[in-house]
Amino acid sequence: MTWEQRWHPLREEWVIIAAHRNHRPWVGETVDAAARQVPAYDPDCPLCPGNVRVSGQRNEPYTGVFVFDNDHPCVGPSAPVELTPPAGIYRNRPATGIARVVCYSPLHHTTLAELPVPQIRDLLVAWQQQYLDLGGRPEVAHVLCFENKGEVVGVSNPHPHCQIYATNFVFKTIEIEAAASERYWAEHRRVLFQEIIAAEQTDGRRILCEHGSAIGFVPYFARYAYETYVAPKERHASLADLADQEVWDLATVLREVLVRFDNLWQMSFPYVMALHQAPTDGGDYPGFHFHIQFHPPLRKPNLLKYLAGPEVGGGSFLSDTSPEVKAAELQAVPAVHWRVARGEGQNEGQP
Ligand SMILES: [Zn+2]
């Protein structure tokens, strides 16, 4: 079983080979998700409160946000350090780092879109703590927080959760974004992402919501049909630097964006969500502007955006939808979750 990092000399980036994870639990293919009623508690779920995980550890009887070390890490302290040297110019190194799981709620059947703002605020605070804890470690160059939501992006367990990879390298997208931001800062003494926000506000057509210090919009250059950014308006290198009111505003905008996603087709909207935070490699990032990016894979309810020749083969995106039209669709739906509107809201209104 191979578990290491391998250098891709043509893309100049690390590839994590985690072949030891082949036996991760998958419940999706054995269950027809559409046909069953998802329960609030599932005795077989490794994420529900009080349940025993594959590692033998028992989850706390948690009531809010719950964080634990991933039982199937792709980077971890137990990754092999004695590696077979590769041939020729090839390079490898241990897949060290820390992988964690963050459960948003003890309720198995809820989603981030259906959590009240105070609970989303609590999640943002937990992410702040994780960035400070993991990013503060000398061996950690970057903290990637992300959520894969929906079976179409490979998630079989509906329990609302995200993952954190704290790695000894900076993921490629953040590396490119940080370099572009710092170059712009050096040349103009202005923050690149704030120029993006200003251009969106000047145009106005793609803004989904604004609340105080936070904004959500479909960017002008969206690569995916419903690609959406959620950001504080002021520059902060990471979520950890936001003041309490900014965290609250961000939670409010985050929730509204997620509700609009779900309302679009009255279904739980799949996406890949990633927090874009400055590297923690000791560098100085005065031009980096923390924000959250959503990459929804669907173009229509049963139509995936396939990554094919241009994207996989060429590395550049071909979008056959207009960001203005897609933003207008999201603007047109109600800001109240359709399940709440039907009286099915699970915990709406709870403090
Ligand atoms: Zn669960």
Side-chain angles (χ1 to χ4, degrees), residues 40-42 45-49 51 62 106-108 157 159:
Y41 167 79
D42 180 346
C45 171
L47 306 181
C48 275
N51 289 357
Y62 66 96
L107 295 177
H108 184 78
N157 187 342
H159 198 117

Side-chain angles (χ1 to χ4, degrees), residues 114-133:
E114 295 180 78
L115 291 183
V117 172
Q119 288 186 29
I120 297 178
R121 187 263 322 273
D122 291 348
L123 173 63
L124 295 177
V125 170
W127 283 341
Q128 288 182 312
Q129 293 164 349
Q130 290 298 314
Y131 181 83
L132 292 172
D133 171 16

